[in-house]
């Protein structure tokens, strides 16, 4: 913080005062009393500077008065009539003025300092007042927050108490759950071990003894079979393998279907009490096990059973019931599984037999159908040869029609046969060089060679994973179609090239044929689908190509060629 | 030209007729039987084929596979089991193009496997194919 700057005394006021006072002094000393000494001190005007605190004015007046007094002493005044010498008198005057000037100077400096201090103090005071205000405001806020915290802290205390009481409850429940979990664990482990009922239930009995923590000496699970009780499991070694139902405590429990106990068995000799290692048992607690069993817990000496013991024995009995039920269900399930498996095997065999029969049937029937066709074609030809020259055009046309109809039927049958063959034969895949297959095919069929057709393989065709016989079938159908479906008078032109498409290798077959109408494109690979009746065909060829491609793990498709024909593609797995 | 005596085992009367027509043109003799049983009787000289004057042993057997009573494969197996018939070529003549039929015929000892043409008028081609067997036997 800085004190407010001391305002400099106005120069104009200083100049005015200087002129006024010096003129006044000059007028009095030099004008009115030029020839005598007056007792008016030169230091008097200097006192003005205590009001107008300008050091420049002070010392300017000192300088001017010095000059004025020197002029009067040494020029105007006569030497005579002076108590001392002129020089001494002037010196006194000067000393008087110097003392007053010094005093006024000192007073001005002190006053200025005081004023500065004062200003600084006032500023500091204001600052302090502002701070104090701020602090009191913050104090108020703190006070408010404090109250809030106080309130929350009370709530937290309350909640803590609730949590505490809940934790105590939980602890109790936890202990109980711990007991049961140990039992369940034992059960689960036994399940995992895949043990038989006996050892598994023995484990349950041992766990029950553990849970009773010294309150019981033996535990057993018995089941009613006719008029006997059969031991299913035990721990502590008391239960015989089989004993009569009549006169047993288990019978009472079974009849009532409820948990029951006898505090002191020595008072009930009619129940034919069992014995442990240290003599007859003193007390029994038992609970029914569905469907016809009892879980019994014995103590060595007479005792009172607690509610907790009741809960434990009932819970354990429920677990044993579940266990027995699961076991029974499991047995039933395995039995029905075995039955199911037998049925599946039987059905599969039946189906296989049916498939074989059907295959044989279809083979035989197609086979037998070809014989009359052969005869029809043959006789038509024989007739046509024999009647050469005697037939008019119309009758010759009829004969030709018989022949072509029979031919067509025969082609249908052979195509259907090869389709059926493809469906059922295995197609192991090996690395095949498609270019070699294609060249071999072109060389062996004149229909694929100039001048009848132009088939070109463009660039390299990498080896593919395919079945050679299957691939040959695909190629011969695709090329056969390409050279067949062409406008009359046009030389078929087929271009074959390969394209790598990710994991697949695509073989393109681009032709200059009549193309496929767009509405036929989705169906062209279907069975018996024909795009044009103007060309001979059975509608099986492309269905066969698709089937074979499928069987080899490939796919086939077609799109219109920009040049007007079709572009068939065959996607296959590359060989490496 | 050396005449061939062919035993044609065929149950389709029409096929027999077309084959007779084709044989007439080249002057060979054709004996036809209708099923496998008759074929075995003929070859073993059992009645009614016990007269070798009228029913001489053939120089080639043309055998259909799909036959009544005894199938073509069984006839083929029987012929190959007979020492006295060892020198007679057996040509299978079937409309079945199944690879398993072909390989079975080959494994049972068939000398050739001819596919039946789609028209009876084309049986002349079969005769042309049989000539190669005749030529092999003569040379």
């Amino acid at each position: 913080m800085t004190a407010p700057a001391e305002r400099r005394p106005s120069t104009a006021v200083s100049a005015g005062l200087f002129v006024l006072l010096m003129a006044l002094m000059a007028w009095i000393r030099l004008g009115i009393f030029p020839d005598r000494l007056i007792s008016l001190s030169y230091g008097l005007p200097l006192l003005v500077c205590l009001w107008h605190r300008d050091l420049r004015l002070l010392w300017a007046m000192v300088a001017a008065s010095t000059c004025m007094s020197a002029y009067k002493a040494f020029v105007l005044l006569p030497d005579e009539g002076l108590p001392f010498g002129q020089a001494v008198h002037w010196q006194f005057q000067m000393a008087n003025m110097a003392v007053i000037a010094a005093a006024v100077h000192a007073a001005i400096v002190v006053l200025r300092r005081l004023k500065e201090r004062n200003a600084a103090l006032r500023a500091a005071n204001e600052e302090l007042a502002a701070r104090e205000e701020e602090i009191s405001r913050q104090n108020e806020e703190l006070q408010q927050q404090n109250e809030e915290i106080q309130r929350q802290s009370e709530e937290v205390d309350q909640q803590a108490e609730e949590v505490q009481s809940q934790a105590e409850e939980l602890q109790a429940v936890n202990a109980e759950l711990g007991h049961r979990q140990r039992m369940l664990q034992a059960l689960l482990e036994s399940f995992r071990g895949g043990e038989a009922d006996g050892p598994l239930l023995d484990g349950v009995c041992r766990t029950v003894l553990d849970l009773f923590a010294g309150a019981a000496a033996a535990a057993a699970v018995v089941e009613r079979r006719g008029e006997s009780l059969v031991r299913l499991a035990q721990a502590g070694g008391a239960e015989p393998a089989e004993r009569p139902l009549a006169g047993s405590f288990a019978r009472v429990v079974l009849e009532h279907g409820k948990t029951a106990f006898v505090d002191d068995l020595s008072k009930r000799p009619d129940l034919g009490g069992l014995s442990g290692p240290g003599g007859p048992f003193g007390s029994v607690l038992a609970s029914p096990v569905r469907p016809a069993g009892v879980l019994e817990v014995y103590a060595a000496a007479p005792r009172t059973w607690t509610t907790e013991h009741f809960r434990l024995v009932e819970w354990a009995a429920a677990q044993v019931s579940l266990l027995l039920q699961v076991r029974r269900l499991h047995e039933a399930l395995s039995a029905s599984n075995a039955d199911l498996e037998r049925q599946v095997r039987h059905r599969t065999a039946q189906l296989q037999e049916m498939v074989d029969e059907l295959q044989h049937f279809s083979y035989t029937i197609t086979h037998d159908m070809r014989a009359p066709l052969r005869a029809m074609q043959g006789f038509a030809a024989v007739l046509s040869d024999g009647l050469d020259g005697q037939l008019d055009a119309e009758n010759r046309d009829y004969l030709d029609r018989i022949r072509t109809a029979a031919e067509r039927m025969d082609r249908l049958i052979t195509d259907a046969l090869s389709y059926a063959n493809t469906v059922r034969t295995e197609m192991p895949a090996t690395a095949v060089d498609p270019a070699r297959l294609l060249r071999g095919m072109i060389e062996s069929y004149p229909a694929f060679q100039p001048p009848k057709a132009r088939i070109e393989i463009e660039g390299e065709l990498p080896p593919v994973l395919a079945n050679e016989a299957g691939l040959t079938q695909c190629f011969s159908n695709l090329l056969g179609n390409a050279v067949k479906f062409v406008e009359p008078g046009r030389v078929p032109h087929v271009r074959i090239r390969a394209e790598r498409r990710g994991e697949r290798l695509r073989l393109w077959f681009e032709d200059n044929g009549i193309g496929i109408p767009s509405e036929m494109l989705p169906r062209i690979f279907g069975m018996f689908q024909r795009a044009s009746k103007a060309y001979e065909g059975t509608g099986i060829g492309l269905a066969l190509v698709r089937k074979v491609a499928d069987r080899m793990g490939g796919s086939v498709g077609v799109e219109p060629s920009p040049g007007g024909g079709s572009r068939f593609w065959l996607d296959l797995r590359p060989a490496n | 030209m050396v005449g061939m005596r062919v035993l044609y085992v065929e149950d389709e009367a029409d096929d027999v007729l077309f084959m007779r027509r084709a044989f007439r043109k080249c002057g060979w003799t054709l004996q036809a039987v209708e099923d496998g049983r008759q074929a075995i009787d003929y070859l073993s000289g059992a009645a009614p084929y016990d007269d070798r004057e009228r029913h001489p042993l053939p120089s080639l057997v043309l055998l259909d596979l799909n036959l009544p009573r005894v199938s073509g494969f069984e006839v083929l197996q029987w012929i190959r089991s007979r020492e006295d018939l060892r020198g007679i070529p057996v040509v299978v003549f079937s409309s079945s193009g199944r690879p398993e039929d072909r390989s079975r015929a080959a494994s049972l000892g068939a000398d050739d496997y001819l596919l039946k043409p789609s028209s009876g008028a084309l049986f002349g081609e079969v005769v042309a194919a049989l000539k190669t067997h005749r030529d092999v036997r003569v040379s």
Side-chain angles (χ1 to χ4, degrees):
Chain A
M1 188 205 66
T2 53
E6 172 71 12
R7 219 177 54 219
R8 279 178 68 88
S10 161
T11 308
V13 173
S14 297
L17 284 172
F18 177 76
V19 171
L20 185 70
L21 291 171
M22 285 306 108
L24 189 67
M25 286 296 281
W27 178 63
I28 294 170
R29 288 188 178 267
L30 305 181
I32 302 171
F33 309 108
D35 44 1
R36 59 181 170 123
L37 289 169
I38 54 168
S39 55
L40 184 68
S41 168
Y42 277 105
L44 200 61
L46 298 183
L47 296 176
V48 169
C49 288
L50 289 177
W51 169 70
H52 185 73
R53 293 167 200 155
D54 191 346
L55 292 175
R56 288 171 302 172
L57 177 61
L58 178 74
W59 292 108
M61 284 194 297
V62 169
S65 298
T66 304
C67 294
M68 208 186 297
S69 86
Y71 174 69
K72 189 177 174 183
F74 296 106
V75 178
L76 295 180
L77 282 182
D79 286 340
E80 60 272 15
L82 287 176
F84 315 106
Q86 263 172 328
V88 176
H89 178 78
W90 182 72
Q91 278 164 5
F92 272 123
Q93 272 187 333
M94 285 302 105
N96 171 265
M97 190 171 66
V99 167
I100 291 173
V104 170
H105 185 103
I108 287 173
V109 170
V110 167
L111 278 171
R112 274 189 188 169
R113 287 220 182 117
L114 272 175
K115 198 171 174 187
E116 276 172 22
R117 287 252 179 96
N118 218 15
L121 269 174
R122 200 178 306 121
N125 263 345
E126 277 167 21
E127 177 90 353
L128 276 173
R131 288 235 182 131
E132 203 169 340
E133 205 174 307
E134 173 78 1
I135 284 169
S136 73
R137 203 175 48 73
Q138 285 177 355
N139 262 348
E140 264 169 45
E141 268 175 39
L142 277 174
Q143 182 69 24
Q144 274 175 8
Q145 286 174 3
N146 220 12
E147 280 166 20
E148 175 76 2
I149 286 170
Q150 183 76 21
R151 205 174 48 71
Q152 284 178 358
S153 142
E154 275 165 25
E155 268 176 39
V156 165
D157 279 349
Q158 202 179 332
Q159 284 172 2
E161 269 169 39
E162 277 173 34
V163 165
Q164 177 70 22
S165 73
Q166 281 174 4
E168 277 161 21
E169 273 173 41
L170 272 177
Q171 209 151 6
V173 172
N174 224 9
E176 172 71 17
L177 278 178
H179 277 304
R180 301 200 173 179
Q181 195 188 349
R182 257 181 292 152
M183 181 127 175
L184 275 179
Q185 192 96 29
L187 287 178
L188 273 178
E189 270 161 23
S190 330
F191 268 126
R192 264 188 226 117
E195 289 175 32
D197 278 2
L200 173 54
L201 289 173
D202 284 346
V204 175
C205 291
R206 275 196 299 278
T207 315
V208 169
L209 286 188
D210 278 356
L211 291 177
F212 272 76
V221 179
V222 293
E223 193 176 48
R224 177 188 176 160
R225 296 216 182 125
E227 287 306 308
S228 298
L229 281 175
V230 176
R231 182 189 69 204
L232 294 184
Q234 67 167 344
E239 188 65 39
E242 194 171 339
R243 60 185 160 109
L245 176 68
S248 68
F249 182 56
R251 186 182 164 204
V252 179
V253 174
L254 275 172
E255 271 172 10
H256 290 88
K258 273 193 247 174
T259 304
F261 64 95
V262 178
D263 279 345
D264 190 350
L265 277 172
S266 63
K267 291 178 182 160
R268 293 292 303 270
D270 58 306
L271 287 178
L274 295 170
S275 293
F281 285 124
S283 185
V284 65
L285 173 66
S287 187
V289 169
R290 280 190 309 274
V294 176
L295 171 64
E296 294 176 322
V297 177
Y298 296 99
R303 62 159 299 133
T304 310
W305 300 100
T306 65
T307 317
E308 177 63 12
H309 290 145
F310 262 67
R311 282 227 300 269
L312 269 177
V313 80
E314 279 175 354
W315 182 77
Q319 304 307 317
V320 173
S321 299
L322 269 179
L323 193 60
L324 289 179
Q325 261 172 302
V326 165
R327 284 288 176 184
R328 279 193 190 106
L329 281 175
H330 191 254
E331 276 161 25
L333 200 67
S334 356
S336 96
N337 258 353
D339 192 45
L340 212 64
E341 236 164 74
R342 201 177 45 72
Q343 274 189 23
V344 165
R345 264 201 306 275
H346 182 63
R347 291 268 163 84
T348 310
Q350 272 185 332
L351 273 176
Q352 186 59 47
E353 205 176 308
M354 235 158 90
V355 166
D356 288 349
E357 258 174 44
L358 267 177
Q359 240 165 31
H360 180 72
F361 175 74
S362 71
Y363 173 74
T364 313
I365 203 162
T366 43
H367 203 265
D368 288 352
M369 274 160 76
R370 296 190 71 194
L373 284 172
R374 204 159 49 237
M376 273 168 69
Q377 284 191 62
F379 289 127
V382 170
L383 212 55
S384 161
D385 286 351
L387 294 176
D388 198 25
Q390 304 171 39
L391 274 176
D392 57 25
E394 196 181 352
N395 286 324
R396 177 164 295 282
D397 180 52
Y398 292 154
L399 269 180
D400 283 348
R401 278 174 188 275
I402 293 175
R403 221 159 53 182
T404 45
E407 261 170 35
R408 193 171 138 56
M409 181 80 192
D410 194 59
R411 233 189 337 267
L412 260 171
I413 290 169
T414 44
D415 282 1
L417 264 179
S418 66
Y419 185 87
N421 235 15
T422 305
V423 171
R424 68 189 174 88
T425 46
E426 290 287 318
M427 287 208 168
T430 52
V432 181
D433 176 8
R436 180 179 59 76
L437 274 192
L438 284 164
R439 287 205 187 90
M441 204 173 288
I442 296 167
E443 276 163 23
S444 38
Y445 292 100
F448 293 161
Q449 300 162 8
K452 290 190 170 169
R454 196 149 59 89
I455 298 178
E456 292 168 328
I457 299 174
E458 294 179 350
E460 289 285 304
L461 304 186
V464 292
L465 257 183
N467 178 268
E468 187 159 331
L471 199 58
T472 307
Q473 249 174 337
C474 289
F475 286 168
S476 76
N477 274 294
L478 288 175
L479 289 182
N481 282 352
V483 300
K484 181 163 72 176
F485 295 102
V486 177
E487 280 166 29
R490 191 166 194 185
V491 177
H493 182 200
V494 188
R495 291 184 306 156
I496 305 165
R497 62 190 167 82
E499 181 193 348
R500 184 83 198 214
R501 290 172 73 93
E503 296 286 296
R504 292 289 155 132
L505 191 85
R506 176 166 287 192
L507 294 175
W508 284 100
F509 295 79
E510 189 168 348
D511 64 43
N512 63 341
I514 55 172
I516 299 165
S518 57
E519 68 271 16
M520 267 307 288
L521 281 174
R523 289 183 288 137
I524 197 69
F525 291 100
M527 196 72 172
F528 301 124
Q529 296 296 329
R530 295 175 61 198
S532 167
K533 301 281 178 192
Y535 293 81
E536 191 51 59
T538 58
I540 294 175
L542 286 179
L544 184 68
V545 172
R546 186 171 70 175
K547 194 78 202 172
V548 174
D550 261 15
R551 299 283 315 270
M552 297 192 300
S555 53
V556 65
V558 66
E559 55 187 57
S561 169
S566 304
R567 277 170 14 137
F568 281 88
W569 53 261
L570 183 62
D571 273 3
L572 295 163
R573 290 170 291 170
N576 37 38
Chain B
M1 193 188 229
V2 180
M4 283 276 273
R5 207 178 307 112
V6 173
L7 176 67
Y8 184 25
V9 191
E10 174 63 78
D11 60 324
E12 288 285 343
D14 291 332
D15 284 351
V16 175
L17 200 142
F18 285 118
M19 198 57 87
R20 281 196 193 288
R21 248 175 71 86
F23 269 58
R24 226 171 22 231
K25 287 175 184 164
C26 68
W28 291 356
T29 329
L30 184 78
Q31 285 280 351
V33 289
E34 288 172 15
D35 60 47
R37 183 76 259 155
Q38 287 181 14
I40 289 172
D41 286 350
Y42 186 103
L43 289 169
S44 57
Y49 308 104
D50 46 359
D51 182 2
R52 281 283 176 235
E53 285 293 316
R54 281 181 57 207
H55 302 290
L57 270 182
S59 48
L60 184 143
V61 175
L62 189 59
L63 185 62
D64 187 19
L65 289 179
N66 200 13
L67 293 170
R69 296 170 74 187
V70 178
S71 82
F73 286 122
E74 285 167 304
V75 174
L76 177 58
Q77 202 168 12
W78 178 85
I79 293 174
R80 286 307 173 225
S81 70
R82 295 278 298 224
E83 279 296 316
D84 53 332
L85 303 175
R86 173 145 293 182
I88 301 177
V90 178
V91 173
V92 171
F93 185 54
S94 167
S95 60
S96 164
R98 287 204 298 190
E100 59 259 48
D101 287 345
R102 280 178 188 275
S103 58
R104 190 171 170 205
S107 72
L108 288 177
D111 291 79
D112 204 351
Y113 192 107
L114 297 178
L115 210 55
K116 281 188 186 172
S118 60
S119 163
L122 299 175
F123 275 29
E125 292 170 10
V126 180
V127 174
L130 288 181
K131 273 182 181 163
T132 60
H133 291 276
R134 194 272 320 259
D135 294 344
V136 166
R137 275 174 64 75
V138 168
S139 61

